[in-house]
Every structure is written in structure tokens, then in C-alpha cells.
């Protein structure tokens, strides 16, 4: 049986959500990761998309660093390089290209070396150059993967694993609407369908599943809340979020629920355009640090 293709994402959607991601991620976990890494760390960024995690995390690391952006979509990776260079120039930093596939960003804190790898993330650790990495990082990826994918990753790693913005199932749109429960049921059903990573997606179970898998391998695991707070003063994001929920619910629920779902979407769009729709989407960030190496007797 053919497995579904791994979930893909639109670059414009990733750009829209980037500032909300940046405000939501837990900085304490990121600083703990920074302290655990070597002086010039090499990070593999899984499902890197347009590079938003690098733009947020690299300044926190605060030193020279090497990133390999890993994604199945070469167009997103091209956009990542363009956006990273554009933001660097706006910040007044110099950029150079020692090779067509390598971008150097010369910051006051050190040089960021940025490279890319087009890879099928569904293959898990087999597709990754783990021997060259000091840490694995990701954002909004691990609620899409399967329990088996997480277990294989935990078994393969002896380096830090950082996963930001994993949905936790606590969410709501405000003000309330009579069809909210119907939409939530459809959206939750969509969250756990097979997203192409070797089985049913973890969805809201991702934080607990990752914590269990890495603790079973002796890792020290910390988690922290990282909710999206979508204010009524951000109507485009509020509307896009409601539209996405409605589309997922339409695909996941029986056709008979279609009229109610579409009516909900129309009502939410009208509220968003009047500056009256807000939302809170719960996420959890996770950091797993490997046990110290055993001393030789």
C-alpha cells in the first residue's frame, strides 16, 4: 500500500504565521538548548520551511553556528535562503556566498553558515547526516509525525532534540459560536490522520509521546507551554486560522455537516473582518537532552 505524501505547506502561510510563532516559542527552553550546545554548533532543522526557526533561534544561540535546513520542498528552501539574506541585509549585516549552496551571514555575534538538504523526512533518521550534527531542531513538525517516527528518532540520537510548537489540543475561537464543538471535533479528527510519516499523526498527543520516547532512552526532558495568542487586531491571521479549521473539518466529517461548517466559516470571516475574532491555540515546546557519556573505568 502506498503511504500518503508528507504534509506540505504554503510559503505565504508560513510567512503569515512567523511572527506568531516567534512570540509563542518558550525562550527559557531555547536558552537551555543554547547552553547545552558546543561553541560552534551544527544544527539540523527538520521541516525548516522558509527558515523561521533559524531567524528566531540563531540570535539566542548568540555565536558562530552552522545550520542545515532540511525540507522535502526545494522551493521553500530557496525562499528560506532569500528571506534569511534579506533580513540580514535589513539588519545591516554582510552576507557572502562561498558556494551556490552555502550562505554566510556575518553578524556581530559570529558567522552563521546556512546550507540546505532536500530530504524525505518520513524516512526519519535514515535520511539525516546525524554524524555531523550537534543538535536536532524543529518547529510545528512533530504533531504531524507518527509514534513510530518519534521512537526511531529517539533511538537514533545521542544529541539534543528540540521541538517547538507542538499542538496540545487546547484551543478556542472567541466569541463562542454554536458550531464550535462540531468544528473542534472535525479538526481533531484531521489532526490524527496519516500525514505521510508512517502511521497516524500524533496531533495533540505529540508532547507526551515525545517525552515518553526520549525519557525511555535516558534523556532529560523539559516541556513548556507556547500558545498562539491571535488577537482581534490581527484579522488576516484570525481569518486564515478559521478558514483552515473549516477546511479540515469539511474533509474529516460526513458531508451532512457541510452546511453547518460553511456557516461557521462565514460567520468567523465576518467577525475577523470587523476586528471581533480572536483565538488561542495551545502548543507545547519540548527539549530533550541526552544523558552524559559514561565514564571509562
Amino acid at each position: 500500500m502506498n503511504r500518503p505524501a508528507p504534509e506540505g505547506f504554503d510559503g505565504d502561510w508560513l510567512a503569515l504565521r512567523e511572527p506568531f510563532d516567534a512570540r509563542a516559542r518558550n525562550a527559557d527552553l531555547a536558552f537551555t538548548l543554547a547552553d547545552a550546545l558546543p561553541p560552534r554548533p551544527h544544527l539540523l532543522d527538520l521541516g525548516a520551511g522558509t527558515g523561521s526557526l533559524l531567524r528566531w533561534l540563531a540570535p539566542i544561540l548568540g555565536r558562530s553556528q552552522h545550520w542545515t535546513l532540511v525540507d522535502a520542498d526545494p522551493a521553500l528552501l530557496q525562499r528560506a535562503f532569500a528571506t534569511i539574506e534579506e533580513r540580514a541585509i535589513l539588519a545591516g549585516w554582510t552576507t557572502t556566498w562561498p558556494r551556490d549552496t552555502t550562505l554566510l551571514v556575518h553578524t556581530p555575534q559570529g558567522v552563521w553558515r546556512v546550507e540546505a538538504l532536500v530530504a524525505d523526512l518520513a524516512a526519519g533518521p535514515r535520511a539525516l547526516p546525524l554524524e555531523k550534527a550537534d543538535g536536532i531542531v524543529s518547529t510545528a513538525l512533530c504533531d504531524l509525525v507518527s509514534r513510530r517516527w518519534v521512537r526511531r528518532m529517539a533511538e537514533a540520537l545521542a544529541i539534543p532534540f528540540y521541538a517547538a510548537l507542538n499542538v496540545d489540543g487546547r484551543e478556542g475561537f472567541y466569541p463562542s459560536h454554536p458550531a464550535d464543538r462540531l468544528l473542534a471535533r472535525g479538526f481533531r479528527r484531521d489532526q490524527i490522520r496519516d500525514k505521510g510519516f508512517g502511521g497516524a499523526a500524533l496531533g495533540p498527543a505529540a508532547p507526551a509521546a515525545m517525552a515518553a520516547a526520549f525519557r525511555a532512552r535516558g534523556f532529560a526532558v523539559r516541556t513548556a507551554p507556547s500558545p498562539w495568542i491571535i488577537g482581534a487586531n490581527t484579522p488576516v491571521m484570525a481569518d486564515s486560522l478559521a478558514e483552515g479549521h473549516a477546511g479540515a473539518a469539511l474533509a474529516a466529517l460526513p458531508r451532512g455537516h457541510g452546511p453547518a461548517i460553511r456557516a461557521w466559516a462565514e460567520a468567523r470571516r465576518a467577525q475577523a473582518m470587523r476586528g471581533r475574532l480572536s483565538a488561542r491555540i495551545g502548543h507545547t515546546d519540548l527539549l530533550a537532552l541526552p544523558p552524559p557519556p559514561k565514564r571509562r573505568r
Side-chain angles (χ1 to χ4, degrees), residues 10-25:
D10 176 71
D12 291 340
W13 161 244
L14 297 179
L16 177 63
R17 65 175 285 171
E18 181 170 351
F20 298 91
D21 289 350
R23 286 193 291 271
R25 293 190 194 95

mmCIF file of all heavy atoms in Angstrom, residues 10-25:
data_model
loop_
_atom_site.group_PDB
_atom_site.id
_atom_site.type_symbol
_atom_site.label_atom_id
_atom_site.label_comp_id
_atom_site.label_asym_id
_atom_site.label_seq_id
_atom_site.Cartn_x
_atom_site.Cartn_y
_atom_site.Cartn_z
ATOM 1 N N ASP A 10 2.282 25.965 2.411
ATOM 2 C CA ASP A 10 2.401 27.106 1.527
ATOM 3 C C ASP A 10 3.327 28.147 2.145
ATOM 4 O O ASP A 10 3.204 28.481 3.335
ATOM 5 C CB ASP A 10 1.010 27.703 1.290
ATOM 6 C CG ASP A 10 1.066 28.957 0.455
ATOM 7 O OD1 ASP A 10 1.335 28.848 -0.745
ATOM 8 O OD2 ASP A 10 0.855 30.041 1.018
ATOM 9 N N GLY A 11 4.243 28.677 1.348
ATOM 10 C CA GLY A 11 5.195 29.643 1.866
ATOM 11 C C GLY A 11 4.538 30.908 2.391
ATOM 12 O O GLY A 11 5.020 31.511 3.368
ATOM 13 N N ASP A 12 3.447 31.342 1.779
ATOM 14 C CA ASP A 12 2.766 32.545 2.261
ATOM 15 C C ASP A 12 2.147 32.307 3.638
ATOM 16 O O ASP A 12 2.143 33.211 4.487
ATOM 17 C CB ASP A 12 1.696 32.986 1.264
ATOM 18 C CG ASP A 12 2.300 33.510 -0.036
ATOM 19 O OD1 ASP A 12 3.488 33.885 -0.029
ATOM 20 O OD2 ASP A 12 1.579 33.527 -1.054
ATOM 21 N N TRP A 13 1.615 31.108 3.870
ATOM 22 C CA TRP A 13 1.084 30.775 5.189
ATOM 23 C C TRP A 13 2.203 30.769 6.227
ATOM 24 O O TRP A 13 2.050 31.305 7.329
ATOM 25 C CB TRP A 13 0.371 29.433 5.159
ATOM 26 C CG TRP A 13 0.182 28.803 6.513
ATOM 27 C CD1 TRP A 13 0.724 27.640 6.952
ATOM 28 C CD2 TRP A 13 -0.625 29.297 7.589
ATOM 29 N NE1 TRP A 13 0.327 27.380 8.251
ATOM 30 C CE2 TRP A 13 -0.495 28.381 8.659
ATOM 31 C CE3 TRP A 13 -1.422 30.423 7.765
ATOM 32 C CZ2 TRP A 13 -1.140 28.567 9.893
ATOM 33 C CZ3 TRP A 13 -2.068 30.606 8.997
ATOM 34 C CH2 TRP A 13 -1.922 29.687 10.034
ATOM 35 N N LEU A 14 3.358 30.209 5.866
ATOM 36 C CA LEU A 14 4.485 30.191 6.801
ATOM 37 C C LEU A 14 4.942 31.608 7.129
ATOM 38 O O LEU A 14 5.308 31.900 8.273
ATOM 39 C CB LEU A 14 5.636 29.371 6.217
ATOM 40 C CG LEU A 14 5.339 27.885 5.974
ATOM 41 C CD1 LEU A 14 6.558 27.201 5.365
ATOM 42 C CD2 LEU A 14 4.907 27.181 7.253
ATOM 43 N N ALA A 15 4.913 32.499 6.133
ATOM 44 C CA ALA A 15 5.291 33.889 6.387
ATOM 45 C C ALA A 15 4.275 34.576 7.292
ATOM 46 O O ALA A 15 4.646 35.363 8.178
ATOM 47 C CB ALA A 15 5.417 34.638 5.054
ATOM 48 N N LEU A 16 2.994 34.281 7.087
ATOM 49 C CA LEU A 16 1.947 34.895 7.909
ATOM 50 C C LEU A 16 2.077 34.484 9.365
ATOM 51 O O LEU A 16 1.922 35.301 10.282
ATOM 52 C CB LEU A 16 0.577 34.514 7.358
ATOM 53 C CG LEU A 16 -0.652 35.011 8.138
ATOM 54 C CD1 LEU A 16 -0.710 36.529 8.133
ATOM 55 C CD2 LEU A 16 -1.935 34.416 7.545
ATOM 56 N N ARG A 17 2.393 33.215 9.606
ATOM 57 C CA ARG A 17 2.425 32.721 10.980
ATOM 58 C C ARG A 17 3.744 33.019 11.692
ATOM 59 O O ARG A 17 3.819 32.873 12.917
ATOM 60 C CB ARG A 17 2.150 31.222 11.009
ATOM 61 C CG ARG A 17 3.203 30.355 10.334
ATOM 62 C CD ARG A 17 2.915 28.878 10.523
ATOM 63 N NE ARG A 17 3.221 28.437 11.873
ATOM 64 C CZ ARG A 17 2.899 27.242 12.367
ATOM 65 N NH1 ARG A 17 2.238 26.382 11.630
ATOM 66 N NH2 ARG A 17 3.226 26.912 13.604
ATOM 67 N N GLU A 18 4.781 33.419 10.964
ATOM 68 C CA GLU A 18 6.106 33.564 11.580
ATOM 69 C C GLU A 18 6.116 34.474 12.809
ATOM 70 O O GLU A 18 6.691 34.099 13.848
ATOM 71 C CB GLU A 18 7.130 34.041 10.550
ATOM 72 C CG GLU A 18 8.526 34.177 11.138
ATOM 73 C CD GLU A 18 9.608 34.425 10.099
ATOM 74 O OE1 GLU A 18 9.334 34.340 8.890
ATOM 75 O OE2 GLU A 18 10.753 34.697 10.518
ATOM 76 N N PRO A 19 5.531 35.662 12.776
ATOM 77 C CA PRO A 19 5.591 36.495 13.990
ATOM 78 C C PRO A 19 4.826 35.898 15.167
ATOM 79 O O PRO A 19 5.209 36.100 16.323
ATOM 80 C CB PRO A 19 4.985 37.833 13.546
ATOM 81 C CG PRO A 19 4.212 37.520 12.298
ATOM 82 C CD PRO A 19 4.918 36.383 11.647
ATOM 83 N N PHE A 20 3.770 35.147 14.896
ATOM 84 C CA PHE A 20 3.029 34.493 15.975
ATOM 85 C C PHE A 20 3.848 33.349 16.567
ATOM 86 O O PHE A 20 3.854 33.135 17.779
ATOM 87 C CB PHE A 20 1.676 34.000 15.453
ATOM 88 C CG PHE A 20 0.797 35.106 14.954
ATOM 89 C CD1 PHE A 20 0.825 35.505 13.623
ATOM 90 C CD2 PHE A 20 -0.050 35.772 15.826
ATOM 91 C CE1 PHE A 20 0.030 36.541 13.163
ATOM 92 C CE2 PHE A 20 -0.862 36.816 15.376
ATOM 93 C CZ PHE A 20 -0.816 37.197 14.048
ATOM 94 N N ASP A 21 4.547 32.619 15.694
ATOM 95 C CA ASP A 21 5.460 31.578 16.173
ATOM 96 C C ASP A 21 6.536 32.177 17.070
ATOM 97 O O ASP A 21 6.862 31.642 18.130
ATOM 98 C CB ASP A 21 6.137 30.875 14.993
ATOM 99 C CG ASP A 21 5.200 29.994 14.190
ATOM 100 O OD1 ASP A 21 4.061 29.752 14.629
ATOM 101 O OD2 ASP A 21 5.614 29.530 13.110
ATOM 102 N N ALA A 22 7.104 33.292 16.620
ATOM 103 C CA ALA A 22 8.203 33.910 17.359
ATOM 104 C C ALA A 22 7.761 34.356 18.745
ATOM 105 O O ALA A 22 8.510 34.203 19.721
ATOM 106 C CB ALA A 22 8.754 35.093 16.567
ATOM 107 N N ARG A 23 6.554 34.893 18.850
ATOM 108 C CA ARG A 23 6.056 35.329 20.161
ATOM 109 C C ARG A 23 5.692 34.145 21.046
ATOM 110 O O ARG A 23 5.734 34.244 22.278
ATOM 111 C CB ARG A 23 4.848 36.248 19.983
ATOM 112 C CG ARG A 23 5.214 37.638 19.486
ATOM 113 C CD ARG A 23 4.048 38.603 19.638
ATOM 114 N NE ARG A 23 2.956 38.307 18.732
ATOM 115 C CZ ARG A 23 2.844 38.799 17.502
ATOM 116 N NH1 ARG A 23 3.786 39.596 17.022
ATOM 117 N NH2 ARG A 23 1.819 38.497 16.735
ATOM 118 N N ALA A 24 5.330 33.017 20.429
ATOM 119 C CA ALA A 24 4.821 31.886 21.202
ATOM 120 C C ALA A 24 5.923 30.998 21.766
ATOM 121 O O ALA A 24 5.789 30.475 22.883
ATOM 122 C CB ALA A 24 3.885 31.046 20.338
ATOM 123 N N ARG A 25 7.013 30.785 21.019
ATOM 124 C CA ARG A 25 8.032 29.839 21.462
ATOM 125 C C ARG A 25 8.571 30.219 22.836
ATOM 126 O O ARG A 25 8.750 31.393 23.147
ATOM 127 C CB ARG A 25 9.193 29.763 20.467
ATOM 128 C CG ARG A 25 8.837 29.166 19.125
ATOM 129 C CD ARG A 25 10.105 28.923 18.307
ATOM 130 N NE ARG A 25 9.787 28.661 16.909
ATOM 131 C CZ ARG A 25 9.773 29.587 15.957
ATOM 132 N NH1 ARG A 25 10.083 30.850 16.252
ATOM 133 N NH2 ARG A 25 9.465 29.270 14.718
#
